[in-house]
Amino acid sequence: MNSLIGTYECKADAKGRLMLPAALKKQLAPVLQNGFVLKRAVFQTCLELYPMAEWEVLMQKVNKLNRFKKKNNDFIRRFTAGVKMVEVDVSGRLLIPKDLTVFANISKNIVMSSAINIVEIWDKDKYEQTIDDATVDFADLAEEVMGQDEEADGIS
């Protein structure tokens, strides 16, 4: 799958369903029929929506962990806590299960933000706060993450 692009605002209804934004739905069209995995994010209070093929690639890596090491079992348990298989219905809606809605503090206003090969689902206020908080340190973070490669790869 190609990288997803865009940040979109949408609303959840009283049942926790959200309509996929048209531009995002178009990008996800090749994988819609395969379903998705929705899970808690590791580092933030948001949700991560994995197209099934992306989830399977990730699970191949996780499955290589030695389960006779306690920290690996602990990681797997926490990483997969609350994981749900979800589908987009014929109307283009995605149902966010109640426990995940509670985890991410999602109420009505939502931001769906592309994160390369997955989509993050945020409560709008929480997303804006996180982006604002990260702005101060983003230059340092960008230098540390992207500026340390010894290879000249043309990224500027």
Side-chain angles (χ1 to χ4, degrees):
M1 186 172 93
N2 293 331
S3 297
L4 298 168
I5 297 171
T7 300
Y8 309 92
E9 293 185 17
C10 52
K11 296 189 183 304
D13 66 15
K15 295 181 180 179
R17 295 175 300 196
L18 60 94
M19 181 71 68
L20 279 183
L24 185 57
K25 186 177 176 184
K26 184 177 179 181
Q27 292 178 66
L28 292 170
V31 298
L32 279 177
Q33 70 282 357
N34 298 329
F36 299 87
V37 170
L38 187 61
K39 69 174 290 301
R40 301 172 185 181
V42 173
F43 300 109
Q44 302 288 339
T45 49
C46 69
L47 304 176
E48 296 172 338
L49 183 68
Y50 287 80
M52 193 57 71
E54 297 295 331
W55 178 254
E56 289 170 359
V57 168
L58 181 58
M59 287 297 96
Q60 287 175 1
K61 292 178 184 176
V62 171
N63 199 35
K64 291 178 183 176
L65 295 173
N66 181 345
R67 289 181 174 245
F68 286 98
K69 290 186 177 180
K70 183 182 181 319
K71 69 178 180 179
N72 291 353
N73 265 336
D74 292 347
F75 168 79
I76 291 167
R77 184 176 309 106
R78 293 189 68 192
F79 184 76
T80 59
V83 169
K84 304 280 191 300
M85 290 180 60
V86 294
E87 295 181 356
V88 176
D89 70 14
V90 294
S91 300
R93 296 176 303 190
L94 179 73
L95 174 65
I96 301 174
K98 184 71 174 165
D99 61 322
L100 294 178
T101 301
V102 170
F103 168 81
N105 299 314
I106 290 175
S107 53
K108 185 173 184 170
N109 296 315
I110 294 175
V111 171
M112 297 185 78
S113 179
S114 60
I116 305 174
N117 59 345
I118 66 170
V119 176
E120 293 180 339
I121 301 174
W122 291 82
D123 172 78
K124 183 178 185 234
D125 292 338
K126 193 78 164 163
Y127 176 78
E128 290 175 354
Q129 178 186 358
T130 300
I131 293 298
D132 288 346
D133 290 348
T135 302
V136 176
D137 300 326
F138 186 67
D140 291 337
L141 178 64
E143 181 178 8
E144 184 177 333
V145 172
M146 299 300 290
Q148 299 300 320
D149 292 341
E150 297 298 319
E151 300 174 22
D153 59 7
I155 296 177
S156 58

